[in-house]
Amino acid sequence: MKFISALLKQFFFWMFLFATTRLIFYVYYWGILNQDGIPISEMLLSFWYAIPLDISTACYILAFPFVLSVIQNFYVSKWLNRTSFYYNIIVIVIYVLISTTEIGIYEEWKTKLQFKALNYLSHPAEIYNSAETSTFFIMLALIITESIFFIWIYNRIIYQPISSQKKKLVFGLFYLIIGSGLLFVGIRGGISEIPITQSKSYFSKHNFINLTSVNSGYSLLISTIENYKFRNKNPFDFYSLSSANARVKRLHRVDKDTTINILSKEQPNIVILILESWSADLIESLGGRAGITPEFAKLENEGLLFTNFYVSGNRSEQSMTSIFAGFPSTPITAISHNLDKIIYLPSFTKQMINEGYSTSYYFGGELMYGGINSFISVNGFERVKEGNDFDVALPRGKLGLHDEYLFNEQLKELNSESQPFLSVVFTLSTHSPYDQPMEDVIGWADTKTQNNYLNSAYYTDKSLGNYFSEAKKMRWYKNTLFLIVADHSHDTYNHWPVHKKEYRRVPMLFFGDVLKEEFRGTQMDRISSQTDIPVTLLQQLGLNALEFTWSRNLFNPTTPEFAFYESDDGVGWITPDGYFVYSNRTGDLMEITLNNQIKDSVIMDGKSYLQVLFQQFMDY
């Protein structure tokens, strides 16, 4: 009976650990419960709805100790006891690390820890720099405290070594058969025809509650399994590939190869300013609160603003492949993490080099984070300057050079750059920990983090205003097109759920003296995406853009309007008639505003797009 009691004690220990880490998550984010008006009853109910996945996860963990106990029924040894003991200690620490990491990333990412995030763990220094110092040490303290607490409980109360005893063949076989069956049923989530999935824990209209209900270890395990599964099979295999391809081909049809030319120069310099984490909610003309980005508002009066512009991903590395390769973001993993695949992407940079452009890329931090450095290198930028390449005397924050100094460095060096040139600046002051070097001017947001974010946006906006004041003095300015665009969005005072289209909406502005007079101070309302940038720019320059198959010319009025974004291992799809969000994880629509007459066809368009996109990702 020792075998059975030992495993039962371990099972209830893991259920206790799962519930405790979930409670710690709720305590840490207690403000969200109040802020979103979530009743305490829903929080308590989540512990009930979490039980099936928790049982499944516990059974996964118990599989190895169970095998050891079966062996010990016939052969008892101290090393088998030690193996079982240390196995459980290691799993305790790993689970605590996973659950605590989720606490650290939730405020920024609004999601569970997924396989994609594991790529960041290879750069612990960058993780530290990306977090507020206090947050980092709180997480570290939680990891240490929880690990010690659970290990102490396991060692003092749960651990039950098996000592020598009589070998019982019949009992051993019975124990093996019954135990294996119970573990299998537990892992599978019961004996029903359909095995358990993460959607089992979804019951609330509040995604915060649903995500917290899902077992953290189970979620990461499934994400990892899915990541390896798609090496041989597309996880988004919704329709026949020929049918899906036909729909995607129709979505990218060009009825008339024409373009509205907005430029007065044939071969202008191009400067792309990529603004870290700029949501549309920062821009008053896009529906945001007044006073956050007043300098951007001034630039709008002289530029062409895109008012329905969306990002296809939610991480910086995803934006780079969209902007410079026209490749949409994929769920599960980012293509920039796959060095064997990025070499096959088309390159806007290389095409500009072939046209005689010199190229440069400026970033105040470290580009290794998220694999950006490898992509930028493969994409062909001739000169790349990042954090350690700048004068050490320049003022910095935890992540690197503050935006105003980064802007100044680029302006100074462009004076000696041969024309025409393509130059990129990627800002960082609006990234956590928001340690911009100025006094706060905004204090009306509902949390300290929100105020920090808004003040960092105000600082970058002020730096942007100074940047253009200085740029206008440069000899190359009158022959330069500036493109200002966000890399991705961010949680704002509106607290949009991350899957909603409002969360994915960001600003994009064309600016400069090379804009024709009739386009200055105007807006373009057509639905558009980051992935459309390469073809749009190339067509303005009269250059071939055929290799950018996922990108459209936004100034060709005959091309269809839509925007795609990856969401919750699924697809977000925006059209002039409405939009939908489909979660492949749960198999359900998370959002839909389409009328019944067109919804089936539009849903097939969006899901076909994701299917074909991911198939191409796999085939690279």
Side-chain angles (χ1 to χ4, degrees), residues 4 9 40 91 105 125 166 224 226 231 283 360 365 385 394 406 443 454 475 487 608 612:
I4 298 172
K9 287 170 72 175
I40 300 299
V91 177
I105 69 169
K166 295 180 180 179
T224 303
E226 287 296 323
R231 293 169 186 261
I283 312 299
S360 58
K385 291 195 70 171
L394 290 171
L406 178 67
L454 295 175
R475 58 183 177 82
D487 64 337
S608 294
V612 175

Side-chain angles (χ1 to χ4, degrees), residues 5 60 71 92 111 293 373 392 474 603 614-615:
S5 65
Y60 270 114
I71 296 172
I92 287 170
T111 186
T293 55
N373 55 342
V392 294
M474 306 297 174
I603 288 172
F614 208 88
Q615 188 62 52

Side-chain angles (χ1 to χ4, degrees), residues 417-436:
E417 190 85 58
S418 61
Q419 299 188 59
F421 56 72
L422 164 66
S423 186
V424 178
V425 181
F426 179 25
T427 70
L428 58 70
S429 293
T430 36
H431 193 295
S432 173
Y434 318 115
D435 53 357
Q436 78 283 349

Side-chain angles (χ1 to χ4, degrees), residues 7 10 14 61-69 71-72 75-92 154 159-162:
L7 280 177
Q10 288 184 49
W14 286 112
I61 295 171
L62 289 175
F64 183 66
F66 171 73
V67 171
L68 291 180
S69 68
I71 296 172
Q72 285 177 299
Y75 170 71
V76 177
S77 172
K78 288 183 179 180
W79 74 265
L80 287 173
N81 284 324
R82 286 197 298 269
T83 300
S84 180
F85 176 81
Y86 287 114
Y87 164 81
N88 280 282
I89 298 303
I90 291 169
V91 177
I92 287 170
Y154 179 78
Y159 177 58
Q160 188 173 324
I162 304 298

